[in-house]
Amino acid sequence: MVMDAANKLGTYIPHFCYHKKLSIAANCRMCLVEVEKAPKPLPACATPVSAGMIVRSASDKAVQAQRSVMEFLLINHPLDCPICDQGGECQLQDLAVGYGKSASRYEEEKRVVAPKQAGPLVAMEEMSRCIQCTRCVRFGQEVAGVMELGMLGRGEHSEITTFVGEAVSSELSGNMIDLCPVGALTSKPFRYSARSWELSRRKSVSPHDSLGANLIVQVKNGKVMRVLPLENDAVNECWISDKDRFSYEALDSDERLTQPMLKQGGEWKEVDWQTALEYVAHGLKNIKHEHGADAIASYATAHSTVEELHLLQKLTRALGSENVDFRLRQSDFALDGEVKPWLGMPVADVTALQRVFVIGSFLRKDHPLLATRLRAAVKSGAKLSILHGSDEDNLITVANKITAAPSDWLAALSQVVNAVAAAKEVAAPAGFEGFAPSDAAKGIAASLLSGDQNVKNKAVFLGNAAAAHPQASALHAAAQWIAEQTGAKLGYLVEAANTVGGHLVNAVAKNAAPAFSAPKKAYILLNAEPELDAANPQAAAAALKQAEMVVALSAFKHGFEHADVLLPIAPFSETSGTFVNAEGRAQSFNGTVKPLANARPAWKVLRVLGNILGIAGFDYETSEAIRDELFGKGVSDLSAKLNNTSKKTLVGAAFGAGESLERLADVPIHFADAVARRSGPLLATIDGAAPSVRLSAALADKLGVKAGDKVAVSQGPGSAVLPAIIEAGLPANVVRVAAAHASTAALGAMFGPIAVAKAGEGK
């Protein structure tokens, strides 16, 4: 189009409805240009370029047309710039200066559009400002995959609205705020808190999911006021998820830990850093002396930086202990020493995939922006196949689907292995002869093998649920065989911002076992809340209860019942560090504001603790010095150090009888890490609601449970009473109960047997 040609040349053509990532609407007419031999001005965004075409974007005729459009746009627009939240970053305001008149010829009353309620994140209070560019509507349809906003009415009665008063609840809804060229859609949490010109802008990296979205953090008076996407086509394009955008609201919450605290005689006392760290060092030495170094364990989450994880493992190993890990939700460690999981390709290549098989992933909520790339791939003709424990609506057209209980995932993969072998007319691997493939398994095999020579880009991805599965290594072996036989790449979607980095700095135990499965006498917890982050919260609670010393390094107050020492550390916005995303891209960032009160960056806390313990090699001055020691100066692509290939023997399985109930645990999008789970606006969304028990219709009938009834679920000694939701497509023997939430923290493992009963009266 003429607009794209102009952009390539650096020629600016004014526009409102055009956006390079959205389809062409051509409904604002602001980009009218003069095309030689055309009888009237044409819209640059919808006029294809042809050879020899002469276009004038700033001729008298073009400028007159643009001025006329601006006059029409301003007929009904409220001239309330002084009180508009978009003032200073409003496209209409900017273009009105260049193309608007100083006085209006219209004296009639302006139309008024009633404000709408769209939920806790997007404000639609001033819809009179809307100029019907439809960017928000197209974003929902084309990128987010769900049309949550639409246009009603005709002519001057046209208005953008939500459907039947529903809230906007997509996990990407905040991008509509960025797309809106006027002040119609604004950020509810940020509204009226600052003017755009008062904010200083700093680059950062998202600490949440494995994409490593690039951020602009906007700061005023030493406080984070707003987070916006920093455009990077190779990573997050120009989008970020709502979790990336609104989690900053937790950074100044009342739950922030701002002073080191010690528990003495059952009472919590605030102390200075020196006292706290000397107490920790003394305690660790004592436990090592009395119980041996093996009685010390360090656990972190993968939302910690490379530098923090490196110093944590270095400190733990210097004490003589091998018990250090960040994979708190993992339960099968048979691939250790072979596999350093990663995406298996650059993130940008996901959009070009033509055949994809995703195993064990709550795709849309675990990886919102990778899901948008898969959605774009499918729109371009890719075929997506999914094996999962529930029939998730990922808002992507799925070609083949197997929904099976988690214990049957290996059986389902065994059938796909057989189907691939049969389709290729090769012998099935040893021990796989008896698993006759279902139609769905044949469909997945046919899809991965289909296409002519042009179908080159294929991938088999293992999701977070597959990595946390008790048979993760067997699932990996089957997925690897399928990928090799079909010419696909094997990749892991990986869980958190720095899962890949944790593997690269060897923050993993030598003979790893599930976290907290073998009780230790001393625990160092970095960014970890075991009752929410561990694969088995019951085991974690029991292990912490019997420990002699528990040191929690956290940005937030938690763990008062099991900790002895709380050390306030800085969250991502207040520290410098590096995250390595799913594709092996190391992205370093600086702190955007000073640490709150007495909080300190975790790498500095660990460095000083190392010094007090007299450990050599703890004399780093900056976080960059740690990173350069690990990866070398200026190295950002670390994919060569990663490996998804294992030599593990292939094992098959047959489908079980499905008689016993088993749990499928998702980690809700806004409860996956400490920062997100304390952000008020995120917790007010549908995704921030407390978990319920999801049952199949067959199981609900059997129990006599209706939607909304209270249901008691129990695992081992722990139980919870939660409301029931009847979910279509859930296998009859699967009970879906979310992990990572206080209401389900008394339950046991994320996978495994579970008991369900209708809650008694009065419960």
Side-chain angles (χ1 to χ4, degrees):
M1 298 295 165
V2 169
M3 180 72 87
D4 303 315
N7 285 343
K8 278 186 178 170
L9 294 171
T11 301
Y12 180 72
I13 298 175
H15 60 272
F16 292 113
C17 70
Y18 169 82
H19 190 276
K20 63 185 175 184
K21 296 284 181 189
L22 302 176
S23 63
I24 293 163
N27 58 5
C28 75
R29 316 311 277 181
M30 191 65 215
C31 62
L32 291 174
V33 290
E34 183 185 354
V35 178
E36 202 165 273
K37 295 184 183 160
K40 58 182 183 180
L42 299 175
C45 69
T47 304
V49 171
S50 58
M53 180 189 253
I54 296 172
V55 179
R56 296 185 177 89
S57 62
S59 66
D60 289 346
K61 190 175 179 182
V63 170
Q64 186 50 49
Q66 291 157 3
R67 284 179 186 275
S68 301
V69 169
M70 179 55 77
E71 187 175 13
F72 278 118
L73 281 173
L74 292 176
I75 286 173
N76 273 311
H77 197 82
L79 303 179
D80 60 352
C81 297
I83 62 145
C84 177
D85 218 34
Q86 196 94 341
E89 50 187 6
C90 170
Q91 271 178 271
L92 187 71
Q93 200 177 49
D94 295 345
L95 292 181
V97 172
Y99 299 90
K101 289 190 161 74
S102 55
S104 173
R105 292 188 283 167
Y106 290 85
E107 292 172 7
E108 289 77 9
E109 272 189 34
K110 299 197 174 217
R111 71 175 192 149
V112 176
V113 180
K116 315 281 187 301
Q117 279 305 319
L121 305 179
V122 180
M124 295 179 77
E125 303 287 322
E126 316 287 349
M127 291 309 289
S128 299
R129 297 174 186 153
C130 174
I131 59 169
Q132 278 87 37
C133 70
T134 67
R135 279 184 181 184
C136 54
V137 180
R138 283 175 287 146
F139 170 81
Q141 277 180 300
E142 295 161 22
V143 180
V146 56
M147 187 174 169
E148 294 189 290
L149 296 178
M151 191 184 279
L152 296 180
R154 298 190 64 162
E156 73 156 1
H157 301 294
S158 303
E159 55 181 274
I160 300 283
T161 183
T162 60
F163 284 101
V164 208
E166 288 287 314
V168 172
S169 58
S170 157
E171 63 282 355
L172 301 166
S173 64
N175 293 299
M176 295 177 182
I177 299 164
D178 298 340
L179 288 172
C180 186
V182 293
L185 302 181
T186 51
S187 164
K188 219 172 215 179
F190 173 70
R191 202 168 148 78
Y192 298 141
S193 59
R195 284 297 199 178
S196 61
W197 55 84
E198 300 173 318
L199 303 169
S200 50
R201 291 159 174 74
R202 286 148 201 188
K203 293 179 183 178
S204 191
V205 177
S206 162
H208 303 298
D209 65 34
S210 65
L211 195 82
N214 292 195
L215 310 177
I216 296 170
V217 177
Q218 299 192 329
V219 174
K220 178 185 175 186
N221 297 338
K223 185 179 169 186
V224 175
M225 301 301 288
R226 183 165 65 166
V227 173
L228 298 174
L230 173 63
E231 189 170 340
N232 183 345
D233 256 359
V235 181
N236 56 306
E237 300 176 275
C238 53
W239 318 122
I240 52 174
S241 69
D242 289 351
K243 180 159 68 166
D244 299 331
R245 184 183 299 271
F246 295 110
S247 67
Y248 74 87
E249 285 281 312
L251 300 175
D252 291 290
S253 78
D254 297 340
E255 290 187 54
R256 277 296 298 271
L257 181 64
T258 53
Q259 187 74 20
M261 296 175 82
L262 288 182
K263 190 196 274 180
Q264 290 174 323
E267 291 283 307
W268 281 97
K269 294 189 170 66
E270 291 191 347
V271 294
D272 58 55
W273 271 105
Q274 188 73 18
T275 308
L277 289 175
E278 282 178 357
Y279 177 89
V280 172
H282 182 70
L284 289 172
K285 280 179 183 167
N286 269 2
I287 283 165
K288 182 180 174 180
H289 177 68
E290 286 174 28
H291 303 283
D294 192 52
I296 300 170
S298 300
Y299 289 123
T301 66
H303 302 282
S304 314
T305 65
V306 159
E307 293 80 358
E308 292 162 6
L309 290 175
H310 174 63
L311 291 188
L312 183 71
Q313 68 87 18
K314 197 171 176 179
L315 180 85
T316 311
R317 291 195 159 105
L319 288 166
S321 170
E322 273 295 328
N323 307 314
V324 58
D325 222 320
F326 65 91
R327 302 166 297 175
L328 303 190
R329 292 198 176 102
Q330 195 165 316
S331 50
D332 175 5
F333 298 90
L335 297 169
D336 281 13
E338 283 189 286
V339 170
K340 284 190 174 165
W342 70 299
L343 190 63
M345 62 177 71
V347 165
D349 288 2
V350 172
T351 318
L353 288 170
Q354 293 158 302
R355 300 287 183 271
V356 189
F357 182 24
V358 177
I359 302 163
S361 176
F362 294 91
L363 193 59
R364 201 179 126 203
K365 304 298 182 185
D366 287 348
H367 308 284
L369 290 169
L370 276 172
T372 65
R373 287 190 181 269
L374 280 175
R375 195 171 293 126
V378 170
K379 284 192 168 171
S380 304
K383 297 276 186 284
L384 173 65
S385 304
I386 288 181
L387 162 60
H388 194 39
S390 69
D391 189 2
E392 290 290 288
D393 183 7
N394 288 307
L395 306 174
I396 309 173
T397 307
V398 179
N400 306 283
K401 185 188 296 176
I402 298 178
T403 306
S407 62
D408 287 331
W409 289 359
L410 185 55
L413 282 183
S414 301
Q415 291 193 356
V416 178
V417 166
N418 259 357
V420 169
K424 287 189 75 179
E425 298 179 349
V426 298
F432 274 73
E433 296 78 12
F435 312 126
S438 64
D439 290 345
K442 286 176 186 167
I444 292 171
S447 169
L448 286 171
L449 288 164
S450 69
D452 50 24
Q453 291 307 303
N454 298 327
V455 177
K456 294 189 178 74
N457 300 324
K458 305 176 189 178
V460 176
F461 290 130
L462 291 151
N464 295 359
H469 196 281
Q471 296 170 295
S473 54
L475 295 177
H476 175 103
Q480 183 178 315
W481 189 91
I482 293 165
E484 284 167 356
Q485 293 297 318
T486 57
K489 287 179 175 160
L490 178 67
Y492 275 86
L493 298 174
V494 302
E495 186 178 21
N498 201 30
T499 302
V500 175
H503 282 280
L504 286 171
V505 301
N506 196 29
V508 291
K510 263 210 181 93
N511 300 310
F516 304 104
S517 56
K520 304 293 179 189
K521 290 296 173 191
Y523 286 102
I524 302 171
L525 305 175
L526 171 61
N527 280 319
E529 300 174 60
E531 66 280 15
L532 304 178
D533 293 326
N536 188 333
Q538 279 176 5
L544 292 167
K545 196 173 181 182
Q546 62 78 50
E548 288 177 20
M549 185 167 88
V550 177
V551 182
L553 287 81
S554 173
F556 300 97
K557 295 172 184 166
H558 74 86
F560 287 114
E561 60 289 341
H562 55 240
D564 301 285
V565 189
L566 294 175
L567 302 177
I569 58 170
F572 80 104
S573 56
E574 299 167 14
T575 182
S576 57
T578 306
F579 291 132
V580 184
N581 75 352
E583 66 181 350
R585 178 191 294 256
Q587 301 187 104
S588 294
F589 55 93
N590 290 317
T592 52
V593 290
K594 285 197 177 106
L596 188 65
N598 242 336
R600 292 290 175 266
W603 71 266
K604 287 189 177 178
V605 176
L606 291 165
R607 181 197 66 191
V608 175
L609 186 55
N611 294 341
I612 293 173
L613 284 163
I615 301 168
F618 270 75
D619 45 5
Y620 303 102
E621 288 296 314
T622 62
S623 65
E624 287 82 3
I626 308 172
R627 181 198 65 204
D628 293 348
E629 177 187 289
L630 287 165
F631 304 141
K633 227 179 176 72
V635 176
S636 63
D637 181 8
L638 301 167
S639 57
K641 298 183 177 183
L642 302 166
N643 167 49
N644 286 331
T645 317
S646 138
K647 296 185 179 68
K648 191 163 171 54
T649 315
L650 207 55
V651 183
F655 273 86
E659 287 162 3
S660 55
L661 296 181
E662 54 183 281
R663 181 179 179 188
L664 172 67
D666 58 313
V667 176
I669 181 169
H670 299 329
F671 294 103
D673 62 87
V675 177
R677 58 176 76 118
R678 288 175 173 82
S679 164
L682 291 181
L683 296 185
T685 62
I686 290 170
D687 282 322
S692 44
V693 180
R694 292 173 178 265
L695 313 165
S696 65
L699 180 57
D701 280 350
K702 192 173 161 188
L703 296 170
V705 168
K706 294 189 199 66
D709 285 357
K710 288 277 191 278
V711 173
V713 287
S714 54
Q715 280 180 294
S719 63
V721 177
L722 305 165
I725 289 181
I726 294 165
E727 185 177 308
L730 201 64
N733 64 327
V734 171
V735 179
R736 183 172 155 191
V737 185
H741 191 273
S743 64
T744 59
L747 297 175
M750 292 172 69
F751 297 91
I754 190 165
V756 185
K758 190 170 181 179
E761 301 304 320
K763 271 201 178 182

